[in-house]
Amino acid sequence: MSGTVSIRTYGCQMNEADSEAMAGLLEGEGWAVTDDEAAADVVLLNTCCVRRHAEERVWNALFALRARAAEGGLIVGVCGCMAQWRGEEIVRRAPHVRVVCGTRAFARLPDLIRRAAAGGAVVDVGEGGLPAGPLPRTRRGALKALVPVMRGCGNFCAYCVVPYVRGPEESRPPGEIAAAVEALARDGCREVTLLGQNVNGYAAAGVPFAGLLRIVGGTGIARIRFLTSHPKDLSDGLIRAIAEVPQVCEHLHLPLQAGSDRVLERMRRGCAYGRYRALVVRIRAAVPGIAISTDLMAGFPGETADDFERTLGAMEELRFDAAFLFKYSDREGTTAAAMGPKVPPAEIAERHARMLDLQSRIGLERNRERIGGTEEVLVEGPSARDPRRLFGRSRTNRRVVFEGDGALIGTLACATIRDATPLTLIGAPRAA
Ligand code: 5AD
Ligand code: SF4
């Protein structure tokens, strides 16, 4: 069977990486993967369910596809986390959906589509659909690549669905990862992001994550990033590897979630604020100039006004270079869903707005500290806002726009920073 497939991705980078693997698998079976959703024979939504809002976006997208599906011909599929979480319920609420493919079933996706084309709906949220070896991948760009190194999470933070929808932690063998990165580097890729829900929980063939960084550092790749680290598992060995492996960029994403120990304990984070703060101090001492970004949440059940002030206090004290700020969202089945008292939505919205304001100020101050310095930028292409300028990311993962020759695209260039906004550095180029 063949035709055209489009894949729309929601959620995190792990989903983006899974979409690339789905595209690779389908192309291997003769399908043409297209961005033109309106013309595709099969539309797949690779979904997220970490917050209610993410699911609502998918339901809305599904209902928007109903008329086209009713005309006949179009196969609509739901893949990934929400497929795993909701299973049959998706077909009950949206009977025009013909394929539901969970997080561990996607190697069977070509077969599921074939079966759906023969009539009816096919739901597969089973195990065993992840092949042992490397997956074929169709990547979006040649310059930067996402490389999953482990999947799943066994932490069961009280608010989080990930352990339920992604299953227990599983790490890929280091040799397989090194071979994949070597091949990418040979093909002109300059930067890899090693991915895992709990990446510093990586362990395979006796190699911990710090060891993996050292191995990947020897593959010929110019830059290495990694996501997401858990503070409770961040070892001194890993801090040393970040400091010592020259390819590892000076950026660490280290979710804190809240500033109050009472809340952190109820969240089951396994890392109190004082320990987190001490880690940040150690990392900043070992890796000068490192950027630390975080995730924070407002309105966890039982969070008092005083607890929340501690989150703002942590932001002031630690001055994150970037922060992803979320409103707590109740996910049924998680431990937190059964906890009370719930913080009223209006109160959550107000706390969230205060975090946004504060981070905007801190982000601007942090970026202004870079004015007058130079940044190594991996130049990705013209800036979307102003095509006369170039866009790229610094080693600390800051967005940089600068005036420069189009010939710099695809290279590591140096930009002298002359201005800053909360999210972007503005620079003039110099020879690399
Ligand atoms: N509500 C709000 N935010 C959540 N996150 C995970 N689960 C929830 C939830 N139920 C946030 C956490 C995590 C990030 C990926 O998403 O901050 O680090
Ligand atoms: Fe979710 Fe916690 Fe695992 Fe992160 S570490 S994926 S927040 S359970």
Coordinates of all heavy atoms in Angstrom, one line a residue, residues 72 86 102 126 133 190 199 209 273 303 312 332 399:
G72 N -14.8 10.5 2.6 CA -14.2 9.2 2.2 C -12.8 9.4 1.7 O -12.4 10.5 1.4
R86 N -5.5 7.5 26.0 CA -7.0 7.4 25.8 C -7.4 6.1 25.1 O -8.6 5.7 25.2 CB -7.5 8.6 25.0 CG -7.1 10.0 25.7 CD -8.1 10.2 26.8 NE -7.7 11.4 27.6 CZ -8.2 11.7 28.8 NH1 -9.0 10.8 29.4 NH2 -7.8 12.8 29.4
G102 N -0.2 3.6 19.9 CA 0.5 4.1 21.1 C 2.0 4.3 21.0 O 2.6 4.1 19.9
G126 N -0.4 -1.6 22.5 CA 0.3 -2.7 23.1 C 1.8 -2.4 23.2 O 2.3 -1.3 22.8
G133 N 17.0 -2.7 17.1 CA 18.1 -1.9 16.4 C 17.7 -0.5 16.2 O 16.6 0.0 16.6
R190 N 25.8 19.2 12.4 CA 26.8 19.9 13.2 C 26.4 19.8 14.7 O 27.3 19.9 15.6 CB 26.9 21.4 12.9 CG 27.2 21.8 11.5 CD 28.4 21.1 11.0 NE 29.6 21.5 11.7 CZ 30.4 22.5 11.3 NH1 30.1 23.3 10.3 NH2 31.5 22.8 12.0
V199 N 17.2 12.0 31.1 CA 18.4 11.6 30.3 C 19.5 11.2 31.2 O 20.3 10.3 30.9 CB 18.7 12.7 29.3 CG1 19.5 13.8 29.9 CG2 19.5 12.1 28.1
F209 N 25.4 8.2 31.9 CA 25.2 9.3 30.9 C 26.5 10.1 30.7 O 26.8 10.5 29.6 CB 24.0 10.1 31.3 CG 23.7 11.1 30.2 CD1 23.3 10.7 29.0 CD2 23.9 12.5 30.4 CE1 23.0 11.6 28.0 CE2 23.6 13.4 29.4 CZ 23.2 12.9 28.2
Y273 N 14.7 22.0 47.7 CA 15.2 23.2 47.1 C 16.7 23.5 47.5 O 17.5 23.9 46.6 CB 14.3 24.5 47.5 CG 14.9 25.7 46.9 CD1 15.0 25.9 45.5 CD2 15.4 26.7 47.7 CE1 15.6 27.0 45.0 CE2 16.0 27.9 47.2 CZ 16.0 28.0 45.8 OH 16.6 29.1 45.2
E303 N -0.9 24.1 47.0 CA 0.1 25.2 47.0 C -0.5 26.4 47.6 O -1.5 27.0 47.0 CB 0.6 25.5 45.5 CG 1.7 26.5 45.4 CD 2.0 26.9 44.0 OE1 1.2 27.6 43.4 OE2 3.1 26.5 43.5
L312 N 8.7 32.1 43.3 CA 9.2 33.4 42.8 C 10.6 33.7 43.5 O 11.5 34.2 42.8 CB 8.3 34.6 43.2 CG 6.9 34.5 42.5 CD1 6.0 35.7 43.0 CD2 6.9 34.5 41.0
E332 N -6.1 12.9 35.2 CA -6.7 11.8 36.0 C -5.8 10.6 36.0 O -5.1 10.3 35.0 CB -8.2 11.4 35.5 CG -8.2 10.8 34.1 CD -8.7 11.8 33.0 OE1 -8.2 12.9 33.1 OE2 -9.5 11.4 32.2
R399 N 18.7 32.4 21.4 CA 18.5 32.8 20.0 C 19.3 34.0 19.7 O 19.4 34.9 20.5 CB 17.0 33.2 19.8 CG 16.0 32.1 20.2 CD 14.6 32.8 20.4 NE 14.3 33.7 19.3 CZ 13.8 33.3 18.1 NH1 13.3 32.0 18.0 NH2 13.6 34.1 17.1

